[in-house]
Amino acid sequence: MPKKSTPEDVKRLYEEMESMRAELNRMGKEFRGVTNDLLRLSQDLDVVTNRYHTLVARLKNK
């Protein structure tokens, strides 16, 4: 037979669950920040690539 949970067990498990929820929220915010940084870098790379191709095309036409 499983042992019956005491109020202290329930309280401890609830506190652990709240701690995990807070940690997951923090990790989610960090992940969104990293994702936003990667998106900005990708956009910057697109700009640089476009400028490179424009310059190459100009040089070929001279």
Side-chain angles (χ1 to χ4, degrees):
M1 291 286 295
K3 123 180 166 178
K4 192 158 180 140
S5 297
T6 65
E8 291 80 20
D9 293 336
V10 173
K11 181 180 178 188
R12 181 182 48 78
L13 288 172
Y14 182 78
E15 288 170 353
E16 286 178 18
M17 181 185 71
E18 287 299 313
S19 174
M20 286 185 228
R21 184 189 332 255
E23 180 70 8
L24 284 171
N25 284 337
R26 184 190 63 74
M27 290 170 66
K29 287 178 185 174
E30 285 182 19
F31 180 78
R32 283 188 295 279
V34 168
T35 303
N36 289 337
D37 290 346
L38 287 172
L39 178 60
R40 277 191 293 277
L41 286 171
S42 173
Q43 291 167 343
D44 290 347
L45 181 59
D46 287 344
V47 169
V48 169
T49 301
N50 288 337
R51 287 181 184 170
Y52 169 79
H53 288 299
T54 301
L55 179 60
V56 168
R58 284 183 190 168
L59 290 173
K60 283 184 179 179
N61 290 331
K62 281 192 174 187

Coordinates of all heavy atoms in Angstrom, one line a residue:
M1 N 0.8 -1.2 0.0 CA 0.0 0.0 0.0 C 0.9 1.2 0.0 O 1.8 1.3 0.8 CB -0.9 0.0 1.3 CG -2.0 -1.0 1.3 SD -3.4 -0.7 0.3 CE -4.0 0.8 1.0
P2 N 0.5 2.2 -0.8 CA 1.3 3.5 -0.8 C 1.0 4.2 0.5 O 0.0 4.1 1.1 CB 0.8 4.3 -2.0 CG -0.3 3.4 -2.6 CD -0.5 2.2 -1.9
K3 N 2.1 4.9 0.9 CA 1.9 5.6 2.2 C 1.1 6.9 1.9 O 1.1 7.5 0.9 CB 3.3 5.9 2.8 CG 3.6 7.4 3.0 CD 5.0 7.5 3.6 CE 5.3 9.0 3.4 NZ 6.5 9.4 3.9
K4 N 0.3 7.3 2.9 CA -0.6 8.4 2.8 C 0.2 9.7 2.9 O 1.1 9.8 3.7 CB -1.6 8.3 3.9 CG -2.8 9.3 3.7 CD -4.0 8.8 4.4 CE -5.1 9.8 4.2 NZ -6.3 9.3 4.0
S5 N -0.1 10.7 2.0 CA 0.6 11.9 2.1 C 0.2 12.8 3.3 O -1.0 12.8 3.6 CB 0.3 12.8 0.8 OG 0.8 12.1 -0.3
T6 N 1.2 13.4 3.9 CA 0.9 14.3 5.0 C 0.8 15.7 4.4 O 1.2 16.0 3.3 CB 2.1 14.2 6.0 OG1 3.2 14.8 5.4 CG2 2.3 12.8 6.5
P7 N 0.2 16.6 5.2 CA 0.1 18.0 4.8 C 1.4 18.6 4.5 O 1.6 19.4 3.6 CB -0.6 18.7 5.9 CG -1.4 17.6 6.6 CD -0.6 16.3 6.4
E8 N 2.5 18.1 5.2 CA 3.8 18.6 5.0 C 4.3 18.2 3.6 O 5.0 18.9 2.9 CB 4.8 18.2 6.1 CG 4.5 18.8 7.4 CD 3.4 18.2 8.2 OE1 3.0 17.0 7.9 OE2 2.8 18.8 9.1
D9 N 4.0 16.9 3.3 CA 4.4 16.4 1.9 C 3.8 17.2 0.8 O 4.4 17.6 -0.2 CB 4.0 14.9 1.8 CG 4.8 14.0 2.7 OD1 5.9 14.3 3.1 OD2 4.2 12.9 3.0
V10 N 2.5 17.5 1.0 CA 1.8 18.2 0.0 C 2.3 19.6 -0.1 O 2.6 20.1 -1.3 CB 0.3 18.3 0.3 CG1 -0.5 19.2 -0.6 CG2 -0.3 16.8 0.3
K11 N 2.6 20.3 1.0 CA 3.2 21.6 1.0 C 4.5 21.6 0.3 O 4.8 22.5 -0.5 CB 3.3 22.1 2.4 CG 3.8 23.6 2.5 CD 3.9 24.1 3.9 CE 4.5 25.4 3.9 NZ 4.8 25.9 5.3
R12 N 5.4 20.6 0.6 CA 6.7 20.6 0.0 C 6.6 20.4 -1.5 O 7.3 21.0 -2.2 CB 7.5 19.4 0.7 CG 8.9 19.3 0.2 CD 9.7 18.1 0.8 NE 8.9 16.9 0.9 CZ 8.8 16.1 -0.2 NH1 9.3 16.3 -1.3 NH2 8.1 14.9 0.0
L13 N 5.8 19.5 -1.9 CA 5.6 19.2 -3.3 C 5.1 20.4 -4.1 O 5.5 20.8 -5.2 CB 4.7 18.0 -3.6 CG 5.3 16.7 -3.2 CD1 4.2 15.6 -3.3 CD2 6.4 16.3 -4.1
Y14 N 4.2 21.2 -3.4 CA 3.6 22.4 -4.0 C 4.7 23.4 -4.2 O 4.8 24.1 -5.2 CB 2.5 22.9 -3.2 CG 1.8 24.1 -3.8 CD1 0.9 24.0 -4.9 CD2 2.1 25.4 -3.3 CE1 0.4 25.2 -5.4 CE2 1.6 26.5 -3.9 CZ 0.7 26.4 -4.9 OH 0.1 27.5 -5.5
E15 N 5.6 23.6 -3.1 CA 6.7 24.5 -3.2 C 7.7 24.2 -4.3 O 8.2 25.0 -5.0 CB 7.3 24.6 -1.8 CG 6.5 25.4 -0.8 CD 7.1 25.3 0.6 OE1 8.0 24.5 0.8 OE2 6.5 25.9 1.5
E16 N 8.0 22.9 -4.4 CA 8.9 22.4 -5.5 C 8.3 22.7 -6.9 O 9.0 23.1 -7.8 CB 9.1 20.9 -5.4 CG 10.0 20.6 -4.2 CD 10.3 19.0 -4.1 OE1 10.0 18.3 -5.1 OE2 10.7 18.6 -3.0
M17 N 7.0 22.5 -7.0 CA 6.3 22.7 -8.3 C 6.3 24.2 -8.6 O 6.6 24.6 -9.8 CB 4.8 22.3 -8.2 CG 4.0 22.5 -9.5 SD 2.3 22.1 -9.3 CE 1.7 23.5 -8.3
E18 N 6.1 25.1 -7.6 CA 6.2 26.5 -7.9 C 7.6 27.0 -8.2 O 7.8 27.8 -9.1 CB 5.7 27.3 -6.6 CG 4.2 27.2 -6.4 CD 3.4 27.9 -7.6 OE1 3.8 29.0 -8.0 OE2 2.5 27.2 -8.0
S19 N 8.6 26.4 -7.6 CA 10.0 26.7 -7.9 C 10.3 26.3 -9.3 O 11.0 27.0 -10.1 CB 10.9 26.0 -6.9 OG 12.2 26.1 -7.3
M20 N 9.8 25.1 -9.7 CA 10.1 24.6 -11.1 C 9.4 25.5 -12.1 O 9.9 25.8 -13.2 CB 9.6 23.2 -11.3 CG 10.5 22.2 -10.6 SD 9.9 20.5 -11.0 CE 9.9 19.8 -9.4
R21 N 8.1 25.9 -11.8 CA 7.4 26.8 -12.7 C 8.1 28.2 -12.9 O 8.3 28.6 -14.0 CB 6.0 27.1 -12.1 CG 5.1 27.9 -13.1 CD 3.8 28.4 -12.4 NE 3.3 27.5 -11.4 CZ 2.2 26.7 -11.6 NH1 1.6 26.7 -12.8 NH2 1.8 26.0 -10.6
A22 N 8.7 28.7 -11.8 CA 9.4 29.9 -11.9 C 10.7 29.8 -12.7 O 11.0 30.6 -13.5 CB 9.8 30.4 -10.5
E23 N 11.4 28.6 -12.6 CA 12.6 28.3 -13.3 C 12.2 28.2 -14.8 O 13.0 28.7 -15.7 CB 13.2 27.1 -12.8 CG 14.5 26.7 -13.5 CD 15.7 27.6 -13.3 OE1 15.6 28.5 -12.4 OE2 16.7 27.4 -14.0
L24 N 11.1 27.5 -15.1 CA 10.7 27.4 -16.5 C 10.4 28.7 -17.1 O 10.7 29.0 -18.3 CB 9.5 26.4 -16.6 CG 9.9 24.9 -16.5 CD1 8.6 24.1 -16.4 CD2 10.7 24.4 -17.7
N25 N 9.7 29.6 -16.4 CA 9.4 30.9 -16.9 C 10.7 31.7 -17.2 O 10.8 32.4 -18.2 CB 8.5 31.7 -15.9 CG 7.1 31.2 -15.9 OD1 6.6 30.6 -16.9 ND2 6.4 31.4 -14.8
R26 N 11.6 31.6 -16.3 CA 12.9 32.3 -16.5 C 13.6 31.8 -17.7 O 14.1 32.5 -18.6 CB 13.8 32.2 -15.3 CG 15.1 32.9 -15.4 CD 16.1 32.6 -14.3 NE 16.5 31.2 -14.3 CZ 17.4 30.7 -15.2 NH1 17.9 31.4 -16.1 NH2 17.7 29.4 -15.1
M27 N 13.6 30.4 -17.9 CA 14.3 29.8 -19.0 C 13.6 30.2 -20.3 O 14.2 30.4 -21.4 CB 14.3 28.3 -18.9 CG 15.3 27.9 -17.8 SD 15.1 26.1 -17.4 CE 15.7 25.3 -18.9
G28 N 12.2 30.3 -20.3 CA 11.5 30.7 -21.5 C 11.8 32.1 -21.9 O 12.0 32.4 -23.1
K29 N 12.0 33.0 -20.9 CA 12.4 34.4 -21.2 C 13.8 34.5 -21.9 O 14.0 35.2 -22.8 CB 12.3 35.3 -20.0 CG 10.9 35.6 -19.5 CD 10.9 36.4 -18.2 CE 9.5 36.6 -17.7 NZ 9.5 37.2 -16.4
E30 N 14.7 33.7 -21.3 CA 16.0 33.6 -21.9 C 16.0 33.1 -23.3 O 16.7 33.6 -24.2 CB 17.0 32.7 -21.0 CG 17.4 33.4 -19.7 CD 18.3 32.5 -18.9 OE1 18.9 31.5 -19.5 OE2 18.5 32.7 -17.7
F31 N 15.2 32.0 -23.5 CA 15.1 31.4 -24.8 C 14.5 32.5 -25.8 O 15.0 32.6 -27.0 CB 14.2 30.2 -24.8 CG 14.0 29.5 -26.1 CD1 15.0 28.7 -26.6 CD2 12.9 29.7 -26.8 CE1 14.9 28.1 -27.8 CE2 12.7 29.1 -28.1 CZ 13.7 28.3 -28.6
R32 N 13.5 33.2 -25.4 CA 12.9 34.2 -26.3 C 14.0 35.3 -26.6 O 14.1 35.8 -27.8 CB 11.7 34.8 -25.7 CG 10.5 33.9 -25.8 CD 9.2 34.6 -25.4 NE 9.2 35.0 -24.0 CZ 8.9 34.1 -23.0 NH1 8.6 32.9 -23.3 NH2 8.8 34.5 -21.8
G33 N 14.8 35.7 -25.7 CA 15.8 36.6 -25.9 C 16.9 36.1 -26.9 O 17.3 36.9 -27.8
V34 N 17.3 34.9 -26.7 CA 18.3 34.3 -27.7 C 17.7 34.2 -29.1 O 18.3 34.5 -30.1 CB 18.7 32.9 -27.2 CG1 19.5 32.2 -28.2 CG2 19.6 33.1 -25.9
T35 N 16.4 33.8 -29.1 CA 15.7 33.7 -30.4 C 15.6 35.1 -31.1 O 15.9 35.2 -32.3 CB 14.3 33.1 -30.2 OG1 14.4 31.9 -29.6 CG2 13.6 33.0 -31.5
N36 N 15.3 36.1 -30.3 CA 15.3 37.5 -30.9 C 16.7 37.9 -31.4 O 16.8 38.5 -32.5 CB 14.8 38.5 -29.9 CG 13.3 38.3 -29.7 OD1 12.6 37.7 -30.5 ND2 12.8 38.7 -28.5
D37 N 17.7 37.6 -30.6 CA 19.1 37.9 -31.0 C 19.4 37.2 -32.4 O 20.0 37.8 -33.3 CB 20.1 37.5 -30.0 CG 20.0 38.4 -28.7 OD1 19.4 39.4 -28.8 OD2 20.6 38.0 -27.7
L38 N 19.1 35.9 -32.5 CA 19.4 35.2 -33.7 C 18.6 35.7 -34.9 O 19.1 35.8 -36.0 CB 19.0 33.7 -33.5 CG 19.9 32.9 -32.6 CD1 19.4 31.5 -32.4 CD2 21.3 32.8 -33.2
L39 N 17.4 36.2 -34.7 CA 16.6 36.8 -35.7 C 17.3 38.1 -36.2 O 17.4 38.3 -37.4 CB 15.2 37.1 -35.3 CG 14.3 37.7 -36.3 CD1 14.1 36.9 -37.5 CD2 12.9 38.0 -35.7
R40 N 17.7 38.9 -35.3 CA 18.4 40.1 -35.7 C 19.7 39.8 -36.4 O 20.0 40.5 -37.4 CB 18.7 41.0 -34.4 CG 17.6 41.8 -34.0 CD 18.0 42.8 -32.9 NE 18.4 42.2 -31.7 CZ 17.5 41.8 -30.7 NH1 16.3 42.0 -30.9 NH2 18.0 41.3 -29.6
L41 N 20.5 38.9 -36.0 CA 21.7 38.5 -36.7 C 21.4 38.0 -38.1 O 22.1 38.3 -39.0 CB 22.5 37.4 -35.9 CG 23.2 37.9 -34.6 CD1 23.7 36.7 -33.8 CD2 24.3 38.8 -35.0
S42 N 20.3 37.2 -38.2 CA 19.9 36.7 -39.5 C 19.6 37.9 -40.5 O 20.0 37.9 -41.6 CB 18.8 35.8 -39.4 OG 18.3 35.4 -40.6
Q43 N 18.9 38.8 -39.9 CA 18.5 40.0 -40.7 C 19.7 40.8 -41.1 O 19.8 41.3 -42.3 CB 17.5 40.9 -40.0 CG 16.1 40.2 -39.8 CD 15.2 40.9 -38.8 OE1 15.7 41.7 -38.0 NE2 14.0 40.6 -38.9
D44 N 20.7 41.0 -40.2 CA 21.9 41.7 -40.5 C 22.7 40.9 -41.6 O 23.3 41.5 -42.5 CB 22.8 41.8 -39.2 CG 22.2 42.8 -38.2 OD1 21.3 43.5 -38.6 OD2 22.7 42.8 -37.1
L45 N 22.7 39.6 -41.5 CA 23.4 38.8 -42.5 C 22.8 39.0 -43.9 O 23.5 39.1 -44.9 CB 23.4 37.3 -42.1 CG 24.2 36.4 -43.0 CD1 25.6 36.8 -43.2 CD2 24.1 35.0 -42.5
D46 N 21.5 39.0 -43.9 CA 20.8 39.3 -45.2 C 21.2 40.6 -45.8 O 21.4 40.7 -47.0 CB 19.2 39.2 -45.0 CG 18.7 37.9 -44.7 OD1 19.4 36.9 -45.0 OD2 17.5 37.8 -44.3
V47 N 21.3 41.6 -45.0 CA 21.7 43.0 -45.4 C 23.1 42.9 -46.0 O 23.3 43.4 -47.1 CB 21.6 44.0 -44.3 CG1 22.2 45.3 -44.7 CG2 20.1 44.2 -43.9
V48 N 24.0 42.3 -45.3 CA 25.4 42.2 -45.7 C 25.5 41.4 -47.0 O 26.2 41.8 -48.0 CB 26.3 41.6 -44.6 CG1 27.7 41.3 -45.2 CG2 26.4 42.6 -43.4
T49 N 24.7 40.3 -47.1 CA 24.7 39.5 -48.3 C 24.2 40.3 -49.5 O 24.8 40.3 -50.6 CB 23.9 38.2 -48.1 OG1 24.4 37.5 -47.0 CG2 23.9 37.3 -49.3
N50 N 23.1 41.0 -49.3 CA 22.6 41.8 -50.4 C 23.6 42.9 -50.8 O 23.7 43.2 -52.0 CB 21.3 42.5 -50.0 CG 20.1 41.4 -49.9 OD1 20.2 40.4 -50.5 ND2 19.1 41.8 -49.1
R51 N 24.2 43.6 -49.9 CA 25.2 44.6 -50.2 C 26.4 44.0 -51.0 O 26.9 44.5 -52.0 CB 25.7 45.3 -49.0 CG 24.7 46.2 -48.4 CD 25.3 46.9 -47.1 NE 24.3 47.7 -46.5 CZ 24.4 48.3 -45.3 NH1 25.5 48.1 -44.6 NH2 23.5 49.0 -44.8
Y52 N 26.8 42.8 -50.6 CA 27.9 42.1 -51.3 C 27.5 41.8 -52.7 O 28.3 42.1 -53.7 CB 28.2 40.8 -50.5 CG 29.2 39.9 -51.3 CD1 30.5 40.1 -51.4 CD2 28.6 38.8 -52.0 CE1 31.4 39.3 -52.1 CE2 29.5 37.9 -52.7 CZ 30.8 38.2 -52.8 OH 31.7 37.4 -53.5
H53 N 26.3 41.3 -52.9 CA 25.9 40.9 -54.3 C 25.7 42.2 -55.2 O 26.0 42.1 -56.4 CB 24.6 40.1 -54.3 CG 24.8 38.7 -53.8 ND1 25.6 37.8 -54.4 CD2 24.3 38.1 -52.7 CE1 25.6 36.6 -53.8 NE2 24.8 36.8 -52.7
T54 N 25.3 43.2 -54.6 CA 25.1 44.5 -55.3 C 26.5 45.0 -55.7 O 26.7 45.4 -56.9 CB 24.5 45.6 -54.4 OG1 23.2 45.1 -54.1 CG2 24.3 46.9 -55.1
L55 N 27.5 44.9 -54.8 CA 28.8 45.4 -55.1 C 29.5 44.5 -56.2 O 30.1 45.0 -57.2 CB 29.7 45.3 -53.9 CG 31.2 45.7 -54.0 CD1 31.3 47.2 -54.5 CD2 31.9 45.6 -52.7
V56 N 29.3 43.2 -56.1 CA 29.8 42.3 -57.1 C 29.2 42.6 -58.5 O 29.9 42.7 -59.5 CB 29.6 40.8 -56.7 CG1 29.9 39.9 -57.9 CG2 30.5 40.5 -55.5
A57 N 27.9 42.8 -58.5 CA 27.2 43.1 -59.8 C 27.7 44.5 -60.4 O 28.0 44.6 -61.6 CB 25.7 43.2 -59.6
R58 N 28.0 45.4 -59.5 CA 28.5 46.7 -60.0 C 29.9 46.5 -60.6 O 30.3 47.1 -61.6 CB 28.6 47.8 -58.9 CG 27.2 48.3 -58.5 CD 27.4 49.4 -57.5 NE 26.1 49.8 -56.9 CZ 26.0 50.5 -55.9 NH1 27.0 50.9 -55.2 NH2 24.8 50.9 -55.5
L59 N 30.7 45.7 -59.9 CA 32.1 45.5 -60.4 C 32.1 44.8 -61.7 O 33.0 45.0 -62.6 CB 32.9 44.8 -59.3 CG 33.2 45.6 -58.1 CD1 33.9 44.7 -57.0 CD2 34.1 46.8 -58.4
K60 N 31.2 43.8 -61.9 CA 31.1 43.1 -63.1 C 30.7 43.9 -64.3 O 31.1 43.7 -65.4 CB 30.2 41.9 -63.0 CG 30.7 40.7 -62.2 CD 29.7 39.6 -62.2 CE 30.3 38.4 -61.4 NZ 29.4 37.3 -61.3
N61 N 29.9 45.0 -64.0 CA 29.3 45.8 -65.0 C 30.3 46.9 -65.4 O 30.0 47.7 -66.4 CB 28.0 46.4 -64.6 CG 26.9 45.4 -64.6 OD1 27.0 44.4 -65.3 ND2 25.9 45.6 -63.7
K62 N 31.4 47.1 -64.7 CA 32.4 48.2 -65.1 C 33.2 47.8 -66.2 O 33.6 46.8 -66.6 CB 33.2 48.5 -63.9 CG 32.5 49.4 -62.9 CD 33.4 50.0 -61.9 CE 32.6 51.0 -61.0 NZ 33.4 51.7 -60.1

